[in-house]
Amino acid sequence: MNIGIIGAGQLGRMMALSGYPLGLRFTLLDPNLDSSGAQVSDCIQGEYDDATALQMLAAKTDVITFDVENVPVEAVMPIAQLKPFYPPVNALAASQDRLVEKTLFRKLGIATPEFRAVDSLLDLQQAVKDIGVPGILKTRRLGYDGKGQYRLKNQRDIEAAWNALSSLGIALIYEAFVPFTREVSIIGARNIKGEIAIYPLTANVHQHGILHYSVAPYRHMSLQKLAETYLKRVMKHFNYVGVLTIEFFVLNGKLLANEMAPRVHNSGHWTIEGAETSQFENHIRAICGLPLGSTAARGYAGMLNFIGILPECELILKSPGVRFHHYGKEARPARKLGHATIVASSASKRDHALKKLLKYSLS
Ligand code: AMP
């Protein structure tokens, strides 16, 4: 079986690496033939909306998935009719627009921060009146890792925020700033038969809007149950196939959904070493109609991203029990270049090891 992946970033690379032991083949599609995923797999060169390249991908493969969210929906529609395409195109479309996504959460009874659509300065003034400050003005589309966001501390910031983001020419959304105590994510897989497997919650720490490190399992029985209920609602809504992630803020013991990702997620990288079956393998199993693997944690895992600067491999490997993942990417500021994972026999041992690693990740 040959699996097509649109996008050949580190997520595509890790998906391919997880599928090789199962005898699966991969063909990726990416503009850059030296991208992270292309270094370990067959790759067709082309933009994500290149109709000819997409047709070539469909012709070569049995099932198609993606490793990036900004795959243009219109462009992939034709191949989604030719070949099984998972996760479903409508889940991809919803995840690309924060307003659609949050409106869906509301419809499904999933709590979210207060939000308003903003298409003019007047709208923003009204949104601030309704929701108050502090708040965050975000682009509805094409924002990731904290890009396309402006934090409003008080009413005087309204014009500056509007000027900063309206020039991008993308519709906006204003959200209440959530003074969260923690950020967590839930990751699960649903296969073609409708079987579901969900990982324990992961606790995430961001820096400048980018995931810095994660620890898992984050054990909290009632939040785990609630997050699973929310995840299953979204899966059912889309008749979902593949891995789905929802990121939440924890506030006063409750979950507020920030966003969903219809794909394997950075906060799930710990599952490679820290769970019985990795998120990558479970995604591949799900889209190939295979039984899902156990999502049980193997211990206490910590995952640290290397952003902008990648430390020497030797430095990381000399720490006992630490695994190093190098994405094969050129260093650039704010770019995710690799990560390290530690799996320990107790939370305190994990935290101790993670603290030592943190000094290598400061960018
Ligand atoms: P996002 O691009 O929406 O995932 O935002 C990146 C990060 O910015 C989040 O993980 C939070 O740390 C922070 N953030 C985003 N939206 C909010 C919000 N409404 N309230 C507080 N922090 C936020």
Side-chain angles (χ1 to χ4, degrees), residues 20-339:
Y20 292 139
L22 302 176
L24 300 167
R25 291 166 186 266
F26 291 84
T27 301
L28 278 48
L29 176 118
D30 200 273
N32 175 6
L33 284 185
D34 192 38
S35 57
S36 188
Q39 291 168 22
V40 304
S41 170
D42 176 31
C43 187
I44 296 169
Q45 187 169 30
E47 299 293 335
Y48 306 147
D49 62 352
D50 178 335
T52 313
L54 285 164
Q55 289 291 337
M56 267 170 74
L57 184 75
K60 280 187 92 170
T61 55
D62 305 293
V63 52
I64 301 168
T65 188
F66 47 87
D67 91 334
V68 277
E69 257 150 272
N70 57 356
V71 170
V73 168
E74 314 267 277
V76 298
M77 286 292 207
I79 60 161
Q81 270 145 26
L82 281 179
K83 287 284 160 78
F85 187 98
Y86 304 122
V89 175
N90 48 358
L92 173 67
S95 75
Q96 290 178 347
D97 186 327
R98 292 183 194 273
L99 182 67
V100 174
E101 186 178 67
K102 288 207 161 66
T103 306
L104 175 70
F105 288 151
R106 282 284 160 92
K107 190 179 135 199
L108 297 178
I110 300 171
T112 65
E114 277 295 320
F115 63 91
R116 294 284 186 284
V118 171
D119 295 317
S120 65
L121 178 59
L122 215 65
D123 285 348
L124 180 58
Q125 283 160 340
Q126 186 62 45
V128 172
K129 216 178 198 173
D130 293 348
I131 296 175
V133 279
I136 307 191
L137 185 65
K138 298 180 178 179
T139 54
R140 278 170 52 180
R141 305 174 70 86
L142 302 172
Y144 65 97
D145 285 345
K147 294 193 175 79
Q149 301 192 4
Y150 195 103
R151 294 190 183 198
L152 285 82
K153 292 198 181 72
N154 53 53
Q155 305 237 358
R156 291 190 302 279
D157 294 336
I158 292 178
E159 262 186 55
W162 173 253
N163 290 339
L165 295 192
S166 61
S167 57
L168 300 173
I170 308 172
L172 306 171
I173 183 172
Y174 182 70
E175 294 175 12
F177 182 85
V178 180
F180 55 80
T181 45
R182 202 177 288 282
E183 289 186 86
V184 297
S185 52
I186 192 84
I187 300 174
R190 185 174 183 274
N191 70 8
I192 292 166
K193 291 184 196 131
E195 293 159 353
I196 292 175
I198 302 179
Y199 291 92
L201 279 173
T202 305
N204 304 312
V205 175
H206 293 81
Q207 207 179 36
H208 313 303
I210 306 182
L211 182 64
H212 188 200
Y213 63 89
S214 297
V215 293
Y218 171 62
R219 291 193 204 281
H220 191 302
M221 265 200 351
S222 59
L223 290 187
Q224 178 78 35
K225 218 169 135 200
L226 186 59
E228 290 190 8
T229 304
Y230 286 166
L231 192 76
K232 283 181 191 164
R233 273 184 209 164
V234 178
M235 285 176 162
K236 189 170 164 218
H237 176 80
F238 288 115
N239 195 19
Y240 198 87
V241 175
V243 160
L244 175 70
T245 306
I246 306 181
E247 293 181 79
F248 298 99
F249 303 123
V250 181
L251 181 69
N252 302 328
K254 301 226 166 62
L255 293 176
L256 292 171
N258 178 31
E259 58 181 1
M260 67 175 205
R263 55 167 170 77
V264 288
H265 196 256
N266 193 175
S267 66
H269 289 2
W270 65 270
T271 60
I272 295 178
E273 293 90 0
E276 292 293 335
T277 316
S278 79
Q279 61 163 349
F280 302 99
E281 184 175 333
N282 262 338
H283 180 71
I284 297 302
R285 288 189 191 204
I287 67 170
C288 292
L290 296 168
L292 299 175
S294 163
T295 49
R298 282 177 169 155
Y300 295 82
M303 187 288 310
L304 176 68
N305 269 339
F306 297 120
I307 301 158
I309 301 169
L310 196 65
E312 287 297 321
C313 186
E314 288 80 355
L315 275 179
I316 302 302
L317 294 183
K318 74 179 186 199
S319 312
V322 175
R323 305 297 292 269
F324 186 55
H325 295 255
H326 186 310
Y327 303 155
K329 288 159 69 173
E330 216 176 276
R332 256 189 251 144
R335 198 176 199 204
K336 289 173 183 167
L337 302 174
H339 73 266

